[in-house]
Amino acid sequence: MGPMGAGDLSAALWQERRQLELLLFRLETQRLHLAAGNLAWLNFTSSEIEAVLDRLRFEALARNVESAAVAGEWGLPAQATLVELIAAAPPGAWPTVLQDHLNGLRALLRRLAAASATNETALLGLEPPAAASAEAMLDQLTLAANIERALTITRRAAQPLMAQYLGDDANSL
């Protein structure tokens, strides 16, 4: 497969980094709305986070295909981590390029884990107002469901599978 394999992997990693940055932006947007008490936007911010998470699933599949091809080319098993690929890379630019991706992705994952935890704390701290009427009770139930959905989505944002691919467990970041 020649040297294009590593180039395709690098391009896939860039794509994934862009999406992770967008995910971080969406989490920070959600946090700002939560801090301002804009609960009307909770469903909207959750949907935006979820859309990025869905795109990231696709990006991860594309990256895994490219990574497996490079791993095969460099004599590693298809599931090789990025750390293992860097160690096996032929002399030249690739060890440096892939190390830059590793450093950038680790930094993004640290920030995502922190943002996800911050938002989770903020969501857990939300108290739906006491219901004085049937209409208020419906609003309360709707808000409770929206908070639950937001929590589920926000907890997915930490990207544990990406940490595995990098060759880190989630605790070593």
Side-chain angles (χ1 to χ4, degrees), residues 27 30 34 42-43 45-47 49-50 53 115-126 143-158:
L27 284 166
Q30 182 187 59
L34 288 170
L42 185 57
N43 238 6
T45 58
S46 296
S47 294
I49 292 167
E50 194 169 36
L53 288 169
S116 178
T118 299
N119 288 22
E120 184 175 339
T121 301
L123 287 163
L124 289 169
L126 290 179
L143 178 58
N146 288 347
I147 291 169
E148 206 46 52
R149 174 172 177 255
L151 275 168
T152 301
I153 292 166
T154 301
R155 287 175 178 143
R156 284 172 49 206

Side-chain angles (χ1 to χ4, degrees), residues 23-33 111 115 119:
L23 178 58
L24 188 59
F25 172 75
R26 298 280 191 240
L27 284 166
E28 289 181 357
T29 302
Q30 182 187 59
R31 180 182 55 77
L32 292 170
H33 281 296
R111 292 176 66 194
N119 288 22

Side-chain angles (χ1 to χ4, degrees), residues 1-172:
M1 173 191 270
M4 248 344 272
D8 291 341
L9 174 58
S10 182
L13 290 169
W14 272 121
Q15 278 292 106
E16 212 165 2
R17 284 170 74 174
R18 293 289 83 85
Q19 289 301 318
L20 290 168
E21 286 173 351
L22 183 59
L23 178 58
L24 188 59
F25 172 75
R26 298 280 191 240
L27 284 166
E28 289 181 357
T29 302
Q30 182 187 59
R31 180 182 55 77
L32 292 170
H33 281 296
L34 288 170
N38 297 336
L39 299 186
W41 297 122
L42 185 57
N43 238 6
F44 193 63
T45 58
S46 296
S47 294
E48 290 204 320
I49 292 167
E50 194 169 36
V52 181
L53 288 169
D54 289 345
R55 278 199 299 280
L56 272 164
R57 267 205 299 272
F58 173 78
E59 300 291 356
L61 286 171
R63 179 247 305 148
N64 284 338
V65 168
E66 301 302 346
S67 190
V70 172
E73 203 179 308
W74 293 350
L76 294 173
Q79 310 79 0
T81 66
L82 190 51
V83 165
E84 291 166 338
L85 286 171
I86 291 165
W94 290 120
T96 306
V97 169
L98 294 177
Q99 184 66 49
D100 286 347
H101 279 301
L102 179 64
N103 296 343
L105 286 162
R106 279 178 172 160
L108 270 168
L109 287 191
R110 275 194 298 272
R111 292 176 66 194
L112 280 167
S116 178
T118 299
N119 288 22
E120 184 175 339
T121 301
L123 287 163
L124 289 169
L126 290 179
E127 283 295 317
S133 65
E135 190 184 349
M137 190 169 283
L138 184 60
D139 289 345
Q140 188 181 22
L141 290 171
T142 302
L143 178 58
N146 288 347
I147 291 169
E148 206 46 52
R149 174 172 177 255
L151 275 168
T152 301
I153 292 166
T154 301
R155 287 175 178 143
R156 284 172 49 206
Q159 300 293 304
L161 292 177
M162 170 53 90
Q164 267 174 18
Y165 171 69
L166 296 183
D168 302 322
D169 61 47
N171 303 325
S172 69

